[in-house]
Amino acid sequence: MRISAAQKTENENRIRAAMDRLLRGEMPPGGKCDIKTLANEAAVDRTAFYGTRPYAHLRAEFERRLQTLQDVGEIPDPREAQITRLKAEITKLRERLAQSEQTVEELTDFHGQALARFAAQHEEIVRLREATDGESKVRRLPTPRTTVIGSCS
């Protein structure tokens, strides 16, 4: 079905108005910043935006303007912006998790080394005590009293 020049101009005006709304971030419920939503908002058949159809140049303009906005870091579709934000957050959290796992591994190794050193020092103390028990020149000091006399206040 052929449309008149006036109808085509009217449709192009509706498409451009819908394009401006979508690129400003005014999404209809359940809509995204894409050709399907643009066609629905302008009340135009979506197939008119493809191939050699009458509004293919408007699709190219819409995609170019959308790409320009995305290149400067502005994402008009709130869902797409949320997805981008969440992906960045996931990446950051994965990096933090890897760093935490590395720290835990290092601390576990340090803990094992510290226990091994304590055990070696204890064995050395026990060995030295046994070696000094037989010698008469070494005198044992009295052990400290464990009872408390009077109050400390």
Side-chain angles (χ1 to χ4, degrees):
M1 174 174 135
R2 305 284 279 163
I3 59 173
S4 68
Q7 288 174 322
K8 183 177 179 183
T9 303
E10 182 183 327
N11 287 346
E12 284 183 358
N13 289 338
R14 279 200 324 264
I15 292 169
R16 286 185 196 281
M19 188 184 311
D20 291 337
R21 284 194 309 272
L22 290 177
L23 293 174
R24 279 193 311 263
E26 299 173 16
M27 302 298 149
K32 299 192 293 187
C33 195
D34 60 359
I35 296 297
K36 180 179 178 182
T37 305
L38 178 63
N40 286 339
E41 284 292 296
V44 176
D45 184 27
R46 183 173 43 153
T47 59
F49 288 100
Y50 296 99
T52 59
R53 301 289 175 102
Y55 308 120
H57 67 284
L58 292 176
R59 177 184 54 93
E61 178 184 340
F62 176 72
E63 290 172 348
R64 180 185 46 76
R65 287 176 61 188
L66 180 61
Q67 186 62 46
T68 302
L69 286 174
Q70 290 172 344
D71 288 344
V72 297
E74 188 175 325
I75 302 174
D77 190 346
R79 290 187 308 178
E80 290 295 324
Q82 182 182 24
I83 289 169
T84 303
R85 181 183 54 79
L86 290 174
K87 283 182 179 179
E89 188 176 336
I90 286 170
T91 302
K92 191 184 331 177
L93 289 173
R94 284 187 177 150
E95 290 171 359
R96 283 182 54 197
L97 178 62
Q99 181 64 36
S100 296
E101 288 173 347
Q102 181 181 357
T103 303
V104 166
E105 187 177 315
E106 290 171 0
L107 290 174
T108 302
D109 289 345
F110 178 76
H111 181 259
Q113 290 174 0
L115 287 178
R117 287 180 187 153
F118 285 142
Q121 289 172 352
H122 178 72
E123 288 177 10
E124 182 67 14
I125 290 170
V126 169
R127 186 188 65 76
L128 290 172
R129 281 185 181 159
E130 289 173 355
T132 60
D133 280 344
E135 297 179 15
S136 60
K137 292 180 183 178
V138 177
R139 201 169 159 196
R140 283 223 177 250
L141 295 174
T143 58
R145 286 191 273 177
T146 57
T147 58
V148 177
I149 299 174
S151 68
C152 294
S153 58

